Amino acid sequence: MFMPPAHPSFGNADAVLSACCSQRSNLIAPELYEHALTRGEGGMTAGGALAVDTGTHTGRSAKDKAVVRDTTTEDTIWWDNNGALSEANFDLLLDDFLAHAGGGELYCQDLYGGADPHLRLPTRVFTEYAWHSLFIRNLLIRPKHDDLAGFKPGLLVIDLPSFKADPARHGTRSETIIACNFDRRIVLVGGTSYAGEMKKSVFTFLNYLLPEQGVMPMHCSANVNDSGESALFFGLSGTGKTTLSADPVRTLIGDDEHGWGPDGIFNFEGGCYAKTIKLSREAEPEIYATTQRFGTILENMVIDPVTRQPDFDDSSKTENTRCAYPIHFISNSSATGRAGQPKNIIMLTCDAFGVLPPIAQLTPAQAMYHFLSGYTAKVAGTEKGVTEPSATFSTCFGAPFMPRHPSEYGNLLRRLIAEHDVNCWLVNTGWTGGPYGEGRRMPIKATRMLLAAALDGALENASFYTDRAFGFSVPREVPRVEPHLLHPRKTWANPAAYDAQAAKLVGMFEKNFEIFLPHVDSEVRSAAPRASGPFANR
């Protein structure tokens, strides 16, 4: 179990802030509702959920996140991806945070990050808002009542939205700050009311601490079948990670963050933080049902003032509307948040260029290559100025939360895949027959059928061909899946146009991967796609 560092420690931070939490420690949902409503932090909806707004910050402030640069972190942090803060500036920030809280009313929750009792991170979260206390109580793992008396935190998260950093005084980029001190095990969150910063800070700490123990932290969803065979789903936003892992015939372990250790996989969280824009009862009944019950937080949704019903189609506040709820609100969720060694890994991509097949099998080296690449694509109209498909690469499928160099995570994943003989698959939920605007979206029915065939072992007996551009193995045919779908070039009216598009996408992969070349071996380099040569796959 992770324990508080021996030296230096939390100093007086824990004692000072605990004194601000008289009668407000480890409050349960009904109590936190009462406090939030009395304080005017939100309102109740017709279904019983608590509706709140986060103000100016409706998403994470990635550029305002910084890691303390000291002797502990100097050679272990991926500084190209993480902002730096000096020890002196952090100490000044912490003093000013404590002074800002001084004597005020704070809330405290003692929780766990991680369902594995041998690897979990005991976390104490101090919040200024009652609804933030409920949010983090929903999202992390709630200890049994008997465990609270002897609870010893290994991480402090101090969340004060009303605190505004002074860039000149504190060395910050702006008035908003998310400061991580890995040596002292303290996170400071100020100048933002977006509650997701708290849970992502805990994820960042686990991403830093676990690899030292040979445990792989992952931004992925996970489920398991009745035989105990688990599957991991990596994917960036919009690729179908949440939708495809929510399988009625498999038990949901978690939808966002997991670890892979000696005893198998385990959820980092005790809840879910699901996007709700365009949410419907028909398409995602389980998630929809959570929005209609007491204990769920609805974030930045427009609520009808008369009926108190949320409008899931209204994005006037933000496209990033969300709901936060305990995972047991999902009927087929795991009670333990744990499962054995994974049998399958699914890497999801939404290829708007219409090049990738609906499914392909990867070798361990190819899996590392695509894990480090973290590819998906944005389509025209999703963002201002995007008029044609654009490639997006987010290494490890979660670059903003990776404090260490991606090669550390990639090598660890590759070793675990080989050690446990895990099947790896690349699944394209994007376009076929042409790029976005010309082709069609990959049929969800076909995606589910191919995924089911991969997870139940049916694809083990299939005949495969080697994709000439990407080098991975693609099934020639799968029962009840239209034949041409598995041969992307054949779905295009103009095969030469497919070849040009494939070469274009391969070039994007090659350019993106240049920064990783010094950190990978020849086997991974050879797993890269090749822009030269014919693209006609047979």
Side-chain angles (χ1 to χ4, degrees), residues 362-377:
L362 307 175
T363 65
Q366 288 171 337
M368 181 176 175
Y369 179 89
H370 285 278
F371 179 72
L372 290 177
S373 298
Y375 164 70
T376 191

Side-chain angles (χ1 to χ4, degrees), residues 11 39 72 133 171 209 241 252 260 282 306 486:
R39 291 156 57 104
T72 300
S133 193
L209 296 168
K241 178 165 63 81
L252 178 69
W260 184 358
E282 295 71 30
V306 177
L486 291 159

Side-chain angles (χ1 to χ4, degrees), residues 119-137:
L119 297 167
R120 65 193 180 196
L121 177 59
T123 302
R124 179 163 290 165
V125 185
F126 294 101
T127 64
E128 185 176 359
Y129 297 158
W131 82 262
H132 274 199
S133 193
L134 177 60
F135 173 93
I136 203 64
R137 182 178 176 83

